[in-house]
Amino acid sequence: GAGVSQSPSNKVTEKGKDVELRCDPISGHTALYWYRQSLGQGLEFLIYFQGNSAPDKSGLPSDRFSAERTGGSVSTLTIQRTQQEDSAVYLCASSPRRASETQYFGPGTRLLVL
Amino acid sequence: GESVGLHLPTLSVQEGDNSIINCAYSNSASDYFIWYKQESGKGPQFIIDIRSNMDKRQGQRVTVLLNKTVKHLSLQIAATQPGDSAVYFCAEISGANNLFFGTGTRLTVIP
């Protein structure tokens, strides 16, 4: 595709439910990132995938958060037992190889936990 | 520039004036810097970048200045237009994988 796509664009869920957010990076990009952006806040790094290497999970806020990247392309961010403080925009970005190159962002998934 | 508490710094400018958005970075080893623009309801978009071996880079209506002595980055927008209203983030990168975003500055252009 022409750019990074994310789905769903909006998600409303009840506290305690699990959610899955999807990211399709730009074709051929080996690096993929997930960020979280709360209302009026900056970008908070969550996790970074690079090729077949073990992901950098240092930004995940709790063990309720996990992510996987299948086949080096599509990635899924899963939040288990959602809490109201998980409400935010979840952004995915990809770059050709690594963080030292420009990252291209998707439109984000707006998650609201009631 | 830097954010304090939960609120983004804001900058309001008249249409046609020049805008200067500032960013202080923390890591003297950072060797690559990017400015992103984020419009309401959209993901960040790349504007311009600069490497640490430069102190100035110009694009179309935008200029980025890098002062490594004081670890300061600025984005200058010439002849600011209403479409420039957005949140602007700076990002610093050191090494291959270490990327850090600033909190952002909200630019409002007054017609």
Side-chain angles (χ1 to χ4, degrees):
Chain A
V4 178
S5 61
Q6 292 185 246
S7 61
S9 55
N10 293 280
K11 177 71 177 179
V12 180
T13 190
E14 294 179 348
K15 178 181 174 181
K17 295 286 181 67
D18 298 351
V19 295
E20 284 191 351
L21 312 180
R22 177 187 168 107
C23 172
D24 285 84
I26 292 173
S27 178
H29 282 193
T30 60
L32 186 147
Y33 311 79
W34 282 99
Y35 298 91
R36 179 168 70 174
Q37 187 176 38
S38 301
L39 186 63
Q41 298 286 301
L43 294 168
E44 176 188 2
F45 167 76
L46 297 177
I47 189 169
Y48 162 60
F49 294 91
Q50 173 56 278
N52 296 320
S53 303
D56 176 357
K57 304 179 182 180
S58 59
L60 295 178
S62 77
D63 59 9
R64 296 187 295 105
F65 288 73
S66 63
E68 61 178 23
R69 189 178 185 192
T70 54
S73 181
V74 172
S75 177
T76 302
L77 176 69
T78 301
I79 308 173
Q80 295 178 309
R81 305 180 302 282
T82 51
Q83 303 295 311
Q84 289 182 331
E85 59 263 29
D86 299 334
S87 296
V89 175
Y90 289 82
L91 288 158
C92 175
S94 71
S95 66
R97 285 180 296 277
R98 55 191 182 185
S100 57
E101 297 170 325
T102 303
Q103 294 185 18
Y104 298 86
F105 284 82
T109 293
R110 285 149 193 79
L111 175 66
L112 177 61
V113 182
L114 301 176
Chain B
E2 299 283 359
S3 69
V4 177
L6 300 178
H7 302 288
L8 290 175
T10 58
L11 174 67
S12 295
V13 298
Q14 289 290 138
E15 181 178 359
D17 287 352
N18 296 333
S19 303
I20 300 177
I21 301 170
N22 297 306
C23 180
Y25 63 94
S26 57
N27 187 352
S28 57
S30 293
D31 52 12
Y32 181 51
F33 305 87
I34 305 172
W35 278 102
Y36 286 93
K37 172 186 179 183
Q38 187 175 25
E39 296 176 275
S40 180
K42 298 182 180 180
Q45 292 181 297
F46 171 89
I47 303 174
I48 192 168
D49 59 358
I50 189 168
R51 299 210 173 265
S52 58
N53 60 351
M54 304 171 68
D55 53 20
K56 180 179 180 179
R57 190 166 187 215
Q58 289 185 294
Q60 187 175 22
R61 282 203 306 120
V62 294
T63 301
V64 55
L65 299 177
L66 174 63
N67 185 330
K68 295 182 285 294
T69 302
V70 295
K71 293 188 287 187
H72 183 268
L73 193 67
S74 69
L75 177 70
Q76 300 178 0
I77 305 174
T80 314
Q81 302 169 0
D84 295 328
S85 293
V87 175
Y88 290 81
F89 294 94
C90 67
E92 59 175 305
I93 296 113
S94 60
N97 302 327
N98 298 313
L99 174 72
F100 300 95
F101 284 91
T103 304
T105 297
R106 183 180 304 282
L107 174 66
T108 301
V109 180
I110 304 167

